[in-house]
Each structure stands twice: as C-alpha cells, then as structure tokens.
Amino acid sequence: QGGETVSISPATSEEPVFLAAARDGSRALAAFGSLKRRTASIFDAATHSWTPIGGVAITAAAWSPDGGTLAYLEELPTALRLVTRSASTGKTSEVLRLAGYDYTIAWRTPNEMILGNVPSAEAAGSLWSFSVKTRLLERIAGPASGLYGAWSKDGSLGLLFFNDGPDPVLSVLEEEQISALSAPLAETLPEKCALGRPTTYCAVPLSKTAPNPKLPDDYLARAVYFRDY
C-alpha cells in the first residue's frame, strides 16, 4: 500500500498452505496448517477484517467472478464435497460430492466451475465443467498426464498443459475445441501466459536449471527454474 508492505494479519506459527483471492482483490481465503489441523479464514480488503471458517478441512478454493461467492473443496472421511459460501451472509450449500481427494477448482464464468485432478506427470488426469445452475458435471479434457489449465478473465479462452509421451504440449481451449500450439510455445506453462483477445502473451523458456524436468511436477514443486524470454 503506497509502495510499502502492510501486515494484514497477526503473526502465526501455522504453515501457510494456499491463498485464493477474488479477481477484484476485494476478498481472499487463506488456509494454514496441515490437512489434519487446517484452519481457514476470509479476509475482507474493505474492512481489513478476518472471518474464520471453523471445523472444515479445505483443500482448494475459488471465488466467483464477481467475488460474491466462495467455492471450496472440503475433505470428508471418505470423499470431498464442493461447497459454496455467500460472502455477504456466510450461508453455505453443498453442491457436489466427489470420490477421491486430489482435485483443483477454478471458477471460469458466473455459471461454470472447472474441476480437475491435481496435475502430475505420473498420473493421467481430467478436467470437468460443472454447471452451478443445473449441477451437471461434464468432462472437457483428458485423461492425460500432467493435465491442468488457466483461463482468460471472461472464461472464453483456456490454455491447457499436458504430456504427450515425453513431450510437453500447450493447447488452446476455445468453444470446447482443443488446438495444440507449436514450439516454442509448447514448452511453456499456462500460468506463464496472460490470456486475452486478440493477443495472448507468454513467457517462453530460454534455459532451465535441470536438463529433463518432470513437468509440471518439478516446476510446481520449485525443483526446476526457467530463464524466460
């Protein structure tokens, strides 16, 4: 703020796990601790206040495009459940249950969330579109190893990364059609791109600290670094 770092929370001995911020920066969910002892709170930027979410083990979260609703995945003894929470009232609603535990979530458009397997080169994963209104779940990509994606602000454009054998592939998802990009863009990752129309900008690797990194695992674990141009 004003070029200076401002503390927005008291010091904590708990390990930070993840931060999920609304697109407009008005709110953010912060999770701390281990999965068995995880705590989570919502920060309101306007009031500089924190609202704890007690008694739930949140594994992933995303905000609706308008910042008015939080969606999060909560771990249960035998499954995950997808829950929405109103930012204004705090009212929660369970909208879906999932078998297994390793999932990610993104809120693509006001009526559509994207659920996916946590990406790994060692496992084939998929991406699903979930309708907030009809609560229908539909696969839109995969299965493929290392599969994950990023979305433009309006949700109309996506970038998908996956592995085709030993080769990394970066593809455009538009109107539910997937088109692979050619090198050198095929060697970059979705979060290194700023998606938009008519132009998308990407940082493309020039060199790397490991000759044959396992992607996206090594990049996400910070085991390899790239020099981009």
Side-chain angles (χ1 to χ4, degrees):
Q1 183 175 358
E4 297 183 358
T5 300
V6 177
S7 176
I8 60 173
S9 69
T12 175
S13 60
E14 295 182 309
E15 185 79 14
V17 180
F18 68 85
L19 179 76
R23 294 181 189 179
D24 61 2
S26 60
R27 299 177 177 90
L29 173 82
F32 301 88
S34 64
L35 186 57
K36 292 183 178 180
R37 297 184 58 188
R38 183 165 296 178
T39 61
S41 295
I42 296 174
F43 176 72
D44 189 308
T47 61
H48 279 227
S49 61
W50 289 87
T51 302
I53 301 178
V56 296
I58 296 176
T59 62
W63 291 90
S64 60
D66 64 1
T69 306
L70 174 70
Y72 60 84
L73 293 171
E74 176 189 350
E75 181 170 310
L76 302 176
T78 59
L80 282 179
R81 69 172 187 159
L82 176 60
V83 178
T84 58
R85 176 187 171 102
S86 168
S88 58
T89 67
K91 181 180 178 180
T92 62
S93 176
E94 179 181 324
V95 295
L96 183 68
R97 288 211 176 193
L98 297 163
Y101 294 103
D102 294 331
Y103 288 92
T104 62
I105 181 173
W107 207 315
R108 185 178 177 185
T109 67
N111 185 46
E112 183 190 19
M113 300 181 200
I114 301 295
L115 296 168
N117 300 108
V118 172
S120 173
E122 298 181 348
S126 297
L127 293 175
W128 293 270
S129 170
F130 176 71
S131 171
V132 178
K133 290 182 179 179
T134 65
R135 301 192 178 183
L136 292 178
L137 193 65
E138 179 182 7
R139 191 198 309 263
I140 60 172
S145 72
L147 175 64
Y148 75 112
W151 314 97
S152 61
K153 190 173 182 180
D154 65 1
S156 65
L157 192 66
L159 280 180
L160 305 183
F161 174 90
F162 60 93
N163 292 298
D164 182 10
D167 301 318
V169 178
L170 189 68
S171 298
V172 174
L173 177 66
E174 186 175 13
E175 296 180 353
E176 308 312 317
Q177 299 296 314
I178 300 175
S179 304
L181 298 173
S182 59
L185 283 176
E187 300 174 359
T188 194
L189 296 164
E191 59 265 62
K192 293 190 174 191
C193 298
L195 282 72
R197 299 177 185 275
T199 305
T200 290
Y201 297 92
C202 291
V204 177
L206 182 63
S207 62
K208 48 186 175 284
T209 57
N212 298 300
K214 182 172 62 176
L215 297 176
D217 309 56
D218 288 347
Y219 177 78
L220 297 176
R222 299 183 180 180
V224 64
Y225 292 90
F226 297 90
R227 181 185 177 191
D228 299 323
Y229 69 92

